[in-house]
Amino acid sequence: MATKVLIVEDEEQIARFVELELRHEGYMTDKAVDGRTGLEKAESGEYDIVLLDIMLPELNGLEVLRRLRKTSEVPVILLTARDSVMDKVSGLDLGADDYVTKPFAIEELLARIRVALKKKGSQAKDEGGKLTWHELMVDPAAYSVTYGGAPIELSKREFDLLALLLTNRNIVLGRDTLLQKVCGYDYVGETNVIDVYIRYLRSKIDERFGVHMIQTVRGVGYVIKDE
Ligand code: CA
């Protein structure tokens, strides 16, 4: 059965564009152009994922999300205006799964939809939430990492970065995305900090165990692939 996506967006051009692209990718879509209708539809339980604009008539997106989360765990990706850091932070606090900043490339939105759906699926399947790659085993609950049973000591940020790459396996994550998710939205330090942590991870895992786990995609970012 096709995945059903609800698009809550009052800007007709954006909604139409996203709808056409999603249909082209084989998704079923439905639209709402104000917050109140969007909330009603999202609460119906009919949809697999909701794309939610923040600036909406009637009820804004954050209020829609706050009310929706009282009854539903449906994945929600926020569509936010550029530079609205507060919206992103409040959105994630309110239980959004992810966000994309307008104007966004459709490929980025599609990738985030796949990740959100996959995360939902794997949560249902694997309650332990353990992440694996070859003999690597990451247990977020126990905060432990082993390779072939041998323990690996990681700092919190190294751990978060590794878990993020493993959760988004086969998807190239840009440095900015990694920086925001690992260091926080208000991070103002060195921008090459992600490269530094990647180097630490490679020395602690790739080099130590003779594997090529973390791949660099030049000019873009990093990815861990299924081999
Ligand atoms: Ca809007």
Side-chain angles (χ1 to χ4, degrees), residues 130-140 142-154 159 162 166 201 204-206 208-209 211 213:
K130 292 192 179 97
L131 304 163
T132 58
W133 184 88
H134 289 217
E135 291 175 56
L136 182 80
M137 161 102 75
V138 175
D139 184 349
Y143 221 77
S144 73
V145 185
T146 56
Y147 195 97
I152 300 167
E153 296 277 334
L154 297 182
F159 187 95
L162 177 61
L166 282 170
L201 282 175
K204 290 177 177 183
I205 300 170
D206 293 46
R208 181 172 161 199
F209 298 99
V211 292
M213 177 176 68

Side-chain angles (χ1 to χ4, degrees), residues 9-10 46 51 106 135 142-143 202:
E9 168 65 82
D10 60 321
E46 255 183 75
L51 309 180
I106 194 69
E135 291 175 56
Y143 221 77
R202 281 181 171 150

Side-chain angles (χ1 to χ4, degrees), residues 9-11 53 55:
E9 168 65 82
D10 60 321
E11 283 158 81
D53 183 30
M55 299 285 284

